[in-house]
Amino acid sequence: GVSLMYCLLSLPRKSKVVWLRIDQKSVPKAVALCGMELVVCPTTRSPSGVVKSDLSWLSSYLAANASDVTAVISCTSCFAPREPDDVPAVAKMCTAGFCSSVSVPHIINNAYGLQSRRACSLINKAVAVGRVDLIVSSCDKNFLVPVGSAIVYGPDKDKVKKIQKQYPGRA
């Protein structure tokens, strides 16, 4: 949660954060600590019971509100019946000219995903086709570190360095 907060604080501050919902409290807590409004993307359920983020809603929301959005936060690893987000599609939507003339920062919550080839592949594709600013992976979930910590990384080293400079620890 703290790493997500630092990611949000490193971006140009606007009033809202769009969250492609999973049942974890890290993102709502991070957004609240930043003093921003959390906008929850609705989910849809397929006839087979699979739950997905409603990407048509996200597209419409960004078309109407992109200039008020600090970031969109998507997720690569979820618990069933929720499916991981289509992060390449989200990355495309965050690119200027796709949903809006305004580009919107995209943070990927890759909490459990480092050990998943599928999650890593989705992230690589998202970086190739659209906008991905920062990615956060939990150390306790991926490396079995006994305390909560995270790795923040992304395709733009300057954005990662900005977070590194904010962090009060030894990073």
Side-chain angles (χ1 to χ4, degrees):
V2 173
S3 298
L4 289 166
M5 180 193 70
Y6 277 116
C7 290
L8 290 170
L9 291 174
S10 74
L11 299 169
R13 191 177 182 97
K14 297 183 182 170
S15 60
K16 299 176 183 179
V17 174
V18 179
W19 179 40
L20 282 65
R21 183 176 172 264
I22 54 171
D23 288 327
Q24 297 172 344
K25 299 199 183 234
S26 296
V27 172
K29 288 179 181 179
V31 172
L33 283 169
C34 292
M36 297 176 202
E37 178 186 343
L38 182 67
V39 177
V40 180
C41 177
T43 55
T44 60
R45 177 177 243 143
S46 72
S48 63
V50 172
V51 178
K52 295 181 178 186
S53 293
D54 186 345
L55 296 185
S56 62
W57 178 91
L58 178 63
S59 179
S60 297
Y61 186 84
L62 291 178
N65 301 286
S67 60
D68 297 328
V69 178
T70 298
V72 172
I73 301 178
S74 61
C75 187
T76 59
S77 47
C78 309
F79 299 109
R82 170 78 157 77
E83 248 188 25
D85 291 319
D86 183 350
V87 292
V90 174
K92 285 180 188 175
M93 288 181 200
C94 290
T95 305
F98 191 84
C99 293
S100 165
S101 61
V102 178
S103 182
V104 177
H106 180 202
I107 300 170
I108 298 176
N109 179 355
N110 190 43
Y112 294 85
L114 282 180
Q115 74 275 13
S116 166
R117 286 183 192 201
R118 180 173 183 234
C120 291
S121 176
L122 285 171
I123 290 170
N124 285 334
K125 186 173 181 187
V127 169
V129 301
R131 181 165 181 172
V132 175
D133 294 81
L134 297 161
I135 305 150
V136 179
S137 296
S138 301
C139 290
D140 56 332
K141 296 167 188 76
N142 288 291
F143 302 115
L144 302 178
V145 175
V147 293
S149 58
I151 300 168
V152 177
Y153 52 104
D156 183 343
K157 291 180 185 179
D158 291 335
K159 289 180 183 176
V160 176
K161 284 186 186 281
K162 187 174 181 182
I163 294 167
Q164 184 181 14
K165 288 177 184 175
Q166 292 176 343
Y167 186 73
R170 295 177 298 196

